[in-house]
Amino acid sequence: MSYVKIWIHAVWAVKNREPIISEENRKILFGHIHKNALAKDILIEAVGGHNNHVHCLFRLKNDQTIEKVMQLIKGESSFWFNKNITNHAKLSWQKEYFAVSVSESRIERVINYIHTQESHHKKKTWEEEYQEFIKNYGFKVFKG
């Protein structure tokens, strides 16, 4: 038996960062992402976000990769949303995403952060949050 506990905080945006996910539809979408992830044996702890992006916290199992988990979550969720929710513009995700490891001691803080995205974005725009992620985690932005 392998014992693996790697927490990942992932963030991805709507294509062109369009603010198309209404508050009502967010609840439906995030509930579906959570339910679908669990059905695919993805150990997802929290899902939240705002009108143009999603945050989730999940645990990698020993046979999973970040790339595969993100593919399963993102691809299925936009397909499902476009098929089942009719009162919105077409939902497409950007290819890119952030994914960072989270220390066990910070799990509750990240969960709270994910679940309070509505109030968080009353104070900070997506662009400000995006730039903060780039800076705080030392990501290099490549253009081209």
Side-chain angles (χ1 to χ4, degrees):
M1 163 75 80
S2 298
Y3 297 96
V4 176
K5 199 169 197 182
I6 301 170
W7 289 99
I8 303 296
H9 177 193
V11 185
W12 65 94
V14 172
K15 193 169 191 172
N16 301 318
R17 299 183 187 152
E18 293 292 327
I20 64 170
I21 309 171
S22 70
E23 186 174 351
E24 175 186 344
N25 288 340
R26 278 194 287 276
K27 292 174 182 162
I28 296 166
L29 175 62
F30 300 158
H32 175 76
I33 288 172
H34 192 263
K35 183 179 176 181
N36 178 63
L38 292 174
K40 290 189 162 89
D41 209 23
I42 297 168
L43 304 173
I44 196 161
E45 185 66 29
V47 180
H50 203 244
N51 58 13
N52 64 355
H53 69 282
V54 177
H55 291 256
C56 74
L57 177 67
F58 60 90
R59 261 180 49 203
L60 283 179
K61 295 175 68 179
N62 65 330
D63 62 345
Q64 292 174 326
T65 65
I66 294 170
E67 178 183 27
K68 187 63 174 175
V69 168
M70 294 305 296
Q71 178 185 37
L72 290 170
I73 292 173
K74 287 174 60 184
E76 192 282 338
S77 63
S78 61
F79 175 80
W80 177 88
F81 194 77
N82 290 326
K83 181 178 175 188
N84 292 284
I85 307 298
T86 58
N87 62 342
H88 71 90
K90 184 178 179 199
L91 175 63
S92 296
W93 302 121
Q94 286 189 185
K95 290 181 184 179
E96 300 81 14
Y97 56 86
F98 290 106
V100 295
S101 60
V102 178
S103 167
E104 187 72 27
S105 65
R106 311 246 322 151
I107 296 303
E108 288 304 317
R109 185 173 180 188
V110 172
I111 291 170
N112 183 58
Y113 177 72
I114 290 171
H115 288 308
T116 58
Q117 283 292 294
E118 294 291 329
S119 61
H120 173 74
H121 284 291
K122 289 179 180 170
K123 302 173 200 156
K124 188 178 288 188
T125 67
W126 161 251
E127 187 60 33
E128 290 168 327
E129 184 176 51
Y130 176 85
Q131 294 302 326
E132 193 174 271
F133 269 100
I134 296 290
K135 180 181 174 196
N136 289 348
Y137 294 104
F139 289 119
K140 304 288 182 218
V141 179
F142 299 98
K143 303 208 182 211

